[in-house]
Amino acid sequence: MNTDSFELGQALARFLEARPDEAGNVALFSGFLASSPAVFERSHPPGHFTGSAWLVSADGERVLLTHHRKLGRWLQLGGHADGDANLARVALREAEEESGLTDLVVEGDIFDLDRHAIPARGADPEHWHYDVRFVVRATGSEEFAVSEESLDLAWKPVAEIAADPAMDESMRRMAGRWLRRGR
């Protein structure tokens, strides 16, 4: 196990310590981490790790979401690890690439875990994303640029996300967690 994989294992243990109600999820992610050295590669057939950003505004009141081009839903920014086991770095890189924002900082440790199925598309079979999510804060300009991966981007009030029954369940969960945590 390389250093970054070991650090992910340690981060999962800290997440479990802080959130004992997530024991099943942490066991699932830890087991997947130990299953193969290829879990950070998108070519790994059963699935792979991804890193995502709960990208909050400087005041913590809003989060930047993407209207995802392939999935057609409003989601957090993020993407494939492509061999990088440092998923906080992946989340930061993806947030910068997908938003055009600079002056972003990762805050703290793992914020959320979410395993979800990705439907078959073209030559890619259905597979799992083991998404490890981090809080990323905009500390400079909040003027974003829509990338080719998105249909649109928008700053959305966190309280509205939490209350919107049409929003993806994991988005509502993160919004609720953020509101309970404070800014």
Side-chain angles (χ1 to χ4, degrees), residues 29-50:
F29 276 64
S30 296
F32 184 67
L33 176 63
S35 71
S36 168
V39 294
F40 297 98
E41 300 291 343
R42 68 172 85 194
S43 60
H44 185 58
H48 41 266
F49 278 105
T50 56

Side-chain angles (χ1 to χ4, degrees), residues 56-63 137 158 178-179 182-183:
V56 295
S57 56
D59 65 6
E61 295 288 327
R62 295 165 292 124
V63 65
R137 189 175 299 263
V158 176
W178 182 253
L179 293 171
R183 298 183 277 287

Side-chain angles (χ1 to χ4, degrees), residues 16 45 95 119 122 152 175:
L16 176 59
D152 200 3

Side-chain angles (χ1 to χ4, degrees), residues 55-56 92 95-96 99 101-106 136-141:
L55 178 48
V56 295
L92 180 62
E96 290 170 342
S99 71
L101 295 175
T102 58
D103 301 320
L104 301 178
V105 295
V106 176
V136 175
R137 189 175 299 263
T139 63
S141 170

Side-chain angles (χ1 to χ4, degrees), residues 152-168:
D152 200 3
L153 295 174
W155 287 104
K156 304 271 188 175
V158 176
E160 285 182 20
I161 294 168
D164 184 352
M167 187 62 73
D168 183 85

